[in-house]
Amino acid sequence: MLELLLTSFPVIIRYFQLKRRNEAMTVWNMRTAVFLWAGLATCLFVLIFYFHPKSYSGLVPFRTVSVVAQTSGPVIELPIRNGQRVSAGDLLFRIEDHTQKAKLKQAEAELGKITAAETKSADTLKVAEASVLEAQASLDKLKVDLDNAQTLYGRNVGTQDAVRELEASVAVATAELSATQAQVNLAQTDISQTLPAQRAVAEAAVGSARTALDRTEVRSFTDGVVTQLVMSKGSPASQLILSPAMIIIPDRPKDTPIRIIAGFSQIARATIYEGMPAEIACDSNAGLSFHNAVLPAKVVFVQPAVAAGQIVPGGQLLEPSLRTARGSMVVFFELEHPEHQKIMLDGSGCLIQTYTNNIDGTAGHIIAATGVIKAVGLRLKVWGAVISGIGLAGGGGH
């Protein structure tokens, strides 16, 4: 351990003192130097581990899209395969659609009937309006004849029977005019209210049928890579989100930087701060050449709550003694150099080492300088990860 080497100078000095005096190096002669060495090493250990916290739980998170069908039926077309890259809008699979097509044709036929009824109502309105004009003209003529008959009767030239007959004819013509006007109003009501309402219902039925037909074609909503494809032609399409037909790993947005998350001890809350420098070593980037194995990063966000303390409504009262897990403080990191994002593998496990550099004065410089020991230790751990990863340490290798 580097800490032990750096604090071993009391023992070394005592060793040369005893050698110069030709005294034997015994436990008793070395007691003060050894205790001083242990005390200095302990202080240095505490100083380094407190101000430069590390985490073994670093992770490069990524999202997935579960693909499920929105309707039931056997799969009749499956143009993709595992590992294939798809773009938004690409067909993933098609479900048997005979029932949906039949319902769409039926809905379109009902809409056609409404269109025909609209045409018929328009013609009916024209006929009714013509009948109104005809009835109005007939009524006007009868009124003129009635006026003439009344005038002649007043001069003792005409007869009272002729007047009564014309009065009856005027009453009949007035009734016919009201009837034809009612036909006009009825046709206008059909055109302005009844038929539009029926058309809206028919169009909604057509839209619903088309939506049902569209749901038989499942398309991708994002660019990405298909994985865990479990269906085949003829198999029933799954509608359960817990049992998806496939999973798509979407491409990362180009304008969104990769964030690495890690869990730290809650004690580290006193030292971790936004902007804090850090180094990240992911297993997927480790190699014998050490090229891009350790990447500079910084703290960009500290989650303001510990997940282990969240409370979900349930049927039992909270019992704190049963929640034994303390939980960790979640910290988000971003790489200092954007070009390093290209070499990050989604889901990689990482070692995270942070370095305190926000303390002023001589003490702050000393604390910052001790970060070199943690930096060396991080690189030794990378070597250990390589040895373990290739199987020389047993387990997990080839």
Side-chain angles (χ1 to χ4, degrees), residues 276-300:
M276 186 178 192
E279 287 184 320
I280 295 176
C282 298
D283 291 348
S284 57
N285 294 335
L288 293 178
S289 65
F290 253 76
H291 179 65
N292 289 330
V294 179
L295 306 177
K298 63 181 178 181
V299 176
V300 294

Side-chain angles (χ1 to χ4, degrees), residues 1 14 28 40 90 113 129 138 152 169 187 305 319 364 370:
M1 298 291 290
R14 182 60 177 167
W28 180 256
L40 290 175
D90 286 353
K113 288 171 61 176
E129 289 175 343
S138 178
L152 293 174
S169 297
E319 177 53 62
T370 58

Side-chain angles (χ1 to χ4, degrees), residues 159-346:
T159 63
Q160 188 176 8
D161 291 339
V163 173
R164 290 176 179 174
E165 184 179 351
L166 287 172
E167 286 177 346
S169 297
V170 168
V172 172
T174 301
E176 290 178 351
L177 178 61
S178 299
T180 54
Q181 186 62 53
Q183 292 294 328
V184 170
N185 294 337
L186 181 60
Q188 289 176 341
T189 300
D190 287 342
I191 293 173
S192 63
Q193 297 181 15
T194 305
L195 290 176
Q198 293 177 355
R199 170 172 282 276
V201 173
E203 288 177 346
V206 170
S208 178
R210 284 178 178 166
T211 300
L213 180 60
D214 291 341
R215 286 180 176 177
T216 61
E217 292 185 356
V218 179
R219 298 182 178 274
S220 176
F221 284 91
T222 182
D223 299 341
V225 177
V226 175
T227 184
Q228 295 187 21
L229 174 61
V230 296
M231 65 164 42
S232 59
K233 273 188 180 181
S235 62
S238 174
Q239 294 180 268
L240 300 176
I241 191 63
L242 297 179
S243 180
M246 67 191 72
I247 292 177
I248 296 179
I249 302 175
D251 298 337
R252 289 185 180 274
K254 295 182 180 180
D255 56 346
T256 302
I258 292 178
R259 283 192 172 185
I260 299 91
I261 63 173
F264 287 81
S265 168
Q266 296 180 30
I267 302 298
R269 183 171 183 263
T271 53
I272 291 181
Y273 56 92
E274 292 186 4
M276 186 178 192
E279 287 184 320
I280 295 176
C282 298
D283 291 348
S284 57
N285 294 335
L288 293 178
S289 65
F290 253 76
H291 179 65
N292 289 330
V294 179
L295 306 177
K298 63 181 178 181
V299 176
V300 294
F301 178 68
V302 179
Q303 185 170 284
V306 177
Q310 61 184 325
I311 299 176
V312 180
Q316 296 179 346
L317 292 176
L318 177 66
E319 177 53 62
S321 63
L322 298 178
R323 304 175 72 91
T324 56
R326 292 285 185 174
S328 58
M329 183 178 66
V330 179
V331 182
F332 293 77
F333 298 84
E334 287 184 7
L335 298 173
E336 286 283 2
H337 305 296
E339 59 270 19
H340 288 160
Q341 297 184 22
K342 298 179 181 179
I343 64 175
M344 300 297 287
L345 179 65
D346 290 340

Side-chain angles (χ1 to χ4, degrees), residues 28-228:
W28 180 256
N29 290 338
M30 296 291 293
R31 67 187 185 282
T32 302
V34 170
F35 282 123
L36 184 59
W37 180 20
L40 290 175
T42 301
C43 292
L44 188 60
F45 268 109
V46 172
L47 181 71
I48 293 174
F49 278 81
Y50 181 80
F51 286 101
H52 308 294
K54 67 177 181 296
S55 173
Y56 294 95
S57 62
L59 181 68
V60 183
F62 65 99
R63 296 178 175 86
T64 60
V65 176
S66 298
V67 179
V68 296
Q70 293 183 315
T71 186
S72 59
V75 176
I76 60 174
E77 184 178 353
L78 186 65
I80 61 169
R81 61 184 184 277
N82 265 321
Q84 179 176 332
R85 175 168 291 278
V86 294
S87 301
D90 286 353
L91 178 66
L92 300 178
F93 59 91
R94 181 180 284 109
I95 302 170
E96 192 275 325
D97 56 4
H98 291 165
T99 302
Q100 289 80 3
K101 286 182 176 179
K103 289 183 178 180
L104 177 59
K105 288 182 179 180
Q106 182 180 359
E108 290 175 341
E110 291 295 331
L111 182 59
K113 288 171 61 176
I114 300 301
T115 302
E118 289 174 341
T119 303
K120 181 180 178 181
S121 294
D123 294 338
T124 301
L125 177 60
K126 291 179 181 179
V127 173
E129 289 175 343
S131 298
V132 168
L133 295 176
E134 182 180 358
Q136 184 67 54
S138 178
L139 178 60
D140 292 341
K141 180 179 179 302
L142 290 172
K143 285 182 178 181
V144 172
D145 292 341
L146 177 60
D147 290 339
N148 292 334
Q150 289 174 340
T151 301
L152 293 174
Y153 178 71
R155 295 177 181 178
N156 295 322
V157 177
T159 63
Q160 188 176 8
D161 291 339
V163 173
R164 290 176 179 174
E165 184 179 351
L166 287 172
E167 286 177 346
S169 297
V170 168
V172 172
T174 301
E176 290 178 351
L177 178 61
S178 299
T180 54
Q181 186 62 53
Q183 292 294 328
V184 170
N185 294 337
L186 181 60
Q188 289 176 341
T189 300
D190 287 342
I191 293 173
S192 63
Q193 297 181 15
T194 305
L195 290 176
Q198 293 177 355
R199 170 172 282 276
V201 173
E203 288 177 346
V206 170
S208 178
R210 284 178 178 166
T211 300
L213 180 60
D214 291 341
R215 286 180 176 177
T216 61
E217 292 185 356
V218 179
R219 298 182 178 274
S220 176
F221 284 91
T222 182
D223 299 341
V225 177
V226 175
T227 184
Q228 295 187 21

